[in-house]
Amino acid sequence: MTDRLPHEKGFHISWDQIHRDSRALAWRLEQQGPGGGQWRAVVAITRGGLAPAMIIARELDIRVVDTISVKSYDNQTRAEAVVLKAPQAEIMGDDGEGILVIDDLVDTGKTLELVRKLFPKAHFATVYAKPLGRDMVDSFITEVSQDTWIFFPWDMALQYVEPYRGK
Ligand SMILES: O=P(O)(O)OC[C@H]1O[C@H](OP(=O)(O)OP(=O)(O)O)[C@H](O)[C@@H]1O
Ligand code: HPA
Ligand SMILES: [Mg+2]
């Protein structure tokens, strides 16, 4: 299945912004570990979840960090989500209880739906969320509208722009 979603607006996130928003998410997650204690591990949904997961693991002093690789988009075109690499079975346990699964954003929710099926008791957190996928995530920081495409700093480069008052 593939479908092309219209994205009327762009939301451009700087490194500074994702750092601040990921820290805010870490602080929100601090009290929510199993029994109010420490999370057993952080699992990043690669690739987009890697940078936020690193910041969150650092803030919460979690040293066990693993990844699950899910691919679901080619540029702005959505395709069926597939797991390309699973996290270590000993880390995840039977159902993911006590594990913090981190992604940069939830859009349609298909990626998280797939990971949730595998680890139903994990806690799912994203930095940004769109309305269609919001119910798939347990914690997030900022919501944007469904017709907004979020541009992350790792996908962008600084470049010259002409002055507003041209020649
Ligand atoms: O809620 P959904 O509609 O499933 O979309 C959200 C997912 O899509 C993007 O990943 P992508 O599959 O593009 O891979 P990437 O992280 O490697 O860029 C994003 O990083 C999320 O993981
Ligand atoms: O808005 C988005 N931005 C970047 N990657 C994405 N993957 C799904 N939605 C998005
Ligand atoms: Mg991703």
Side-chain angles (χ1 to χ4, degrees):
M1 177 221 41
T2 33
D3 56 279
R4 191 176 288 276
L5 305 169
H7 294 103
E8 304 249 317
K9 302 168 205 143
F11 184 46
H12 295 79
I13 311 279
S14 65
W15 282 110
D16 187 52
Q17 184 74 45
I18 188 101
H19 194 178
R20 275 186 283 127
D21 289 342
S22 299
R23 275 189 166 149
L25 181 57
W27 301 337
R28 185 166 295 179
L29 293 166
E30 196 202 351
Q31 309 297 331
Q32 298 187 53
Q38 179 68 303
W39 297 98
R40 291 199 297 110
V42 167
V43 171
I45 302 182
T46 68
R47 296 159 302 178
L50 283 165
M54 183 275 278
I55 295 162
I56 289 163
R58 188 264 179 191
E59 287 301 306
L60 300 184
D61 194 26
I62 300 168
R63 300 286 174 157
V64 180
V65 180
D66 203 345
T67 56
I68 178 167
S69 173
V70 180
K71 181 173 191 288
S72 46
Y73 281 82
D74 273 317
N75 294 318
Q76 296 191 18
T77 304
R78 148 156 272 302
E80 204 64 63
V82 284
V83 175
L84 301 178
K85 181 255 167 203
Q88 242 182 297
E90 308 88 84
I91 291 177
M92 300 312 288
D94 288 340
D95 51 16
E97 189 161 16
I99 303 293
L100 199 47
V101 177
I102 304 291
D103 208 349
D104 51 357
L105 83 144
V106 61
D107 188 321
T108 63
K110 296 280 186 210
T111 302
L112 291 190
E113 190 181 10
L114 179 67
V115 183
R116 252 184 199 284
K117 271 194 198 131
L118 299 172
F119 310 112
K121 292 212 177 146
H123 187 103
F124 291 82
T126 62
V127 186
Y128 305 105
K130 299 189 194 180
L132 264 179
R134 197 179 41 213
D135 289 349
M136 278 289 151
V137 77
D138 301 307
S139 308
F140 67 91
I141 292 297
T142 300
E143 182 168 342
V144 302
S145 63
Q146 200 65 42
D147 61 353
T148 298
W149 189 261
I150 302 174
F151 290 93
F152 289 104
W154 45 86
D155 288 329
M156 293 188 287
L158 281 179
Q159 66 174 50
Y160 176 78
V161 285
E162 288 291 336
Y164 176 65
R165 191 179 163 125
K167 294 178 208 130

